Amino acid sequence: MSSAQNPPVDDARELLVVICTHDRKDLLLQTLATLDADLAGDAHGSAQRCALLVVLNNCSDGSASALAALAASRPPDAAPLYWLEEARPGKSHALNTAIAASTHPLLAFVDDDQWVEAGFVAAILRGAAQFPQDTLFCGRMMPAWDGSEPAWVHAQAPYRIPIRPFPEFDLGATGLRLAAEARMPSGGNLVVRRTVFDQVGAFDTTLGPTGHNLLGGEDHEFLQRAVAAGHLPRYLPDMRQLHTIDPGRMETGYTLRKSFLRSRSSAIIHNPGQALRPFMFMKLFGHLMRALFTLDGNRRFYYLVRSAASLGEMSAATTRHRPD
């Protein structure tokens, strides 16, 4: 482990902000800059109550050297910055390494392509103190639109695509506790009390992205176990983040691949043991026909994405029943 301070396992601070990264040095440094700016602008001492931990997941792009340079230039009153390396490829391995290497009672997970907004850390600490009975917290997540995005990303019902290539989570300006059947936040928008990991375990290493592929599901599977054990997330509207927009995510091929892979992961998690059924073929056929016979661009794209999701569901069924 490399660090400008002591290892995080010896850190007695209340909150640990965890960022897992793979070969995205520039994005990582931007994310850390937003966290430092948030803490520097906080008059309530949040920097003295939290630490930052970066897990370098099989990185080879100089991220460790960049972190060393950043640590060397940090002011003495900044939140301590730690980092460690996890050689096993896969985000779930990196997440579990962070959990095992620390003892902080609260862990906030932030992705390396997200920017926190002012008041992010303070909102977490305030919410955890105000709701001591709650063990999971989430907040607002919005894309950082800059006007260069294609029109389809703003399409509304009925042609708003169901599996979007960027995370969005906005339940309004009023805090609330999510119901068990509610839509759950993504893993980069999650704060977990350590007691949850003690009860339900860590992240499933058979799920989640490896490198920069589009696999996922490790966060949803973890939340499924947590909710089943009675842990319901508390939505904190002042816990705000923006997700950076990679132009590649706006391409048709990216969106279709993500729809396929996320639907496949979801089917494995939520419908274990389901075999291929005739209705799956009928659903796919219906989506393709609707995409083919329309002049409305938003409608066509919507049904192409639905077609990719149907193929992902069918792939999961085929994979689960493939002989060993």
Side-chain angles (χ1 to χ4, degrees), residues 20-318:
C20 299
T21 186
H22 170 72
D23 285 352
R24 296 207 288 198
K25 176 179 62 178
D26 293 341
L27 284 173
L28 170 66
L29 293 176
Q30 290 178 35
T31 298
L32 288 170
T34 65
L35 280 161
D36 283 339
D38 173 34
L39 293 168
D42 183 355
H44 302 290
S46 294
Q48 285 69 55
R49 298 172 62 188
C50 80
L52 313 179
L53 171 63
V54 177
V55 183
L56 302 171
N57 188 210
N58 198 33
C59 288
S60 59
D61 67 340
S63 289
S65 297
L67 289 172
L70 177 62
S73 64
R74 293 172 74 74
D77 58 348
L81 171 65
Y82 311 109
W83 64 95
L84 54 85
E85 299 190 16
E86 171 52 69
R88 292 171 295 177
K91 184 179 179 182
S92 292
H93 287 300
L95 291 166
N96 292 346
T97 294
I99 296 166
S102 61
T103 57
H104 302 73
L106 278 172
L107 289 87
F109 298 97
V110 174
D111 286 347
D112 63 1
D113 54 359
Q114 295 172 190
W115 301 334
V116 308
E117 295 197 89
F120 174 81
V121 172
I124 294 172
L125 294 171
R126 185 170 59 249
Q130 185 177 357
F131 303 103
Q133 75 281 5
D134 289 325
T135 53
L136 299 173
F137 302 91
C138 62
R140 291 184 180 182
M141 174 76 72
M142 299 299 293
W145 299 128
D146 61 6
S148 64
E149 66 275 4
W152 64 260
V153 302
H154 300 298
Q156 299 299 314
Y159 301 129
R160 179 184 173 90
I161 63 170
I163 300 179
R164 296 164 74 75
F166 33 78
E168 294 174 287
F169 198 85
D170 187 357
L171 302 181
T174 303
L176 70 153
R177 198 175 192 220
L178 274 63
E181 64 277 9
R183 177 193 170 204
M184 292 292 150
S186 62
N189 180 22
L190 191 64
V191 178
V192 185
R193 292 195 195 269
R194 183 169 297 276
T195 51
V196 181
F197 295 120
D198 294 339
Q199 182 179 359
V200 307
F203 293 90
D204 187 341
T205 56
T206 67
L207 297 169
T210 299
H212 295 153
N213 68 25
L214 303 181
L215 294 171
E218 82 291 341
D219 45 1
H220 299 296
E221 192 276 337
F222 168 75
L223 282 169
Q224 183 182 48
R225 282 185 280 125
V227 168
H231 302 282
L232 298 176
R234 167 74 61 175
Y235 170 70
L236 304 174
D238 293 332
M239 179 184 148
R240 302 186 308 272
Q241 295 187 73
L242 293 174
H243 196 287
T244 61
I245 298 300
D246 180 347
R249 291 189 177 215
M250 301 296 101
E251 296 176 355
T252 297
Y254 179 99
T255 305
L256 295 180
R257 289 195 303 275
K258 180 164 186 175
S259 183
F260 171 87
L261 291 168
R262 291 301 173 90
S263 178
R264 183 179 184 276
S265 295
S266 179
I268 291 173
I269 294 167
H270 298 291
N271 299 306
Q274 180 169 307
L276 279 172
R277 302 287 181 83
F279 79 85
M280 296 180 181
F281 294 93
M282 295 298 296
K283 182 165 62 174
L284 174 61
F285 178 78
H287 293 333
L288 288 172
M289 290 300 98
R290 290 179 178 90
L292 181 62
F293 294 105
T294 182
L295 297 177
D296 185 322
N298 285 337
R299 175 181 167 90
R300 179 182 303 107
F301 192 72
Y302 171 83
Y303 281 111
L304 286 175
V305 171
R306 293 292 300 271
S307 298
S310 294
L311 286 170
E313 181 183 17
M314 295 168 71
S315 174
T318 302

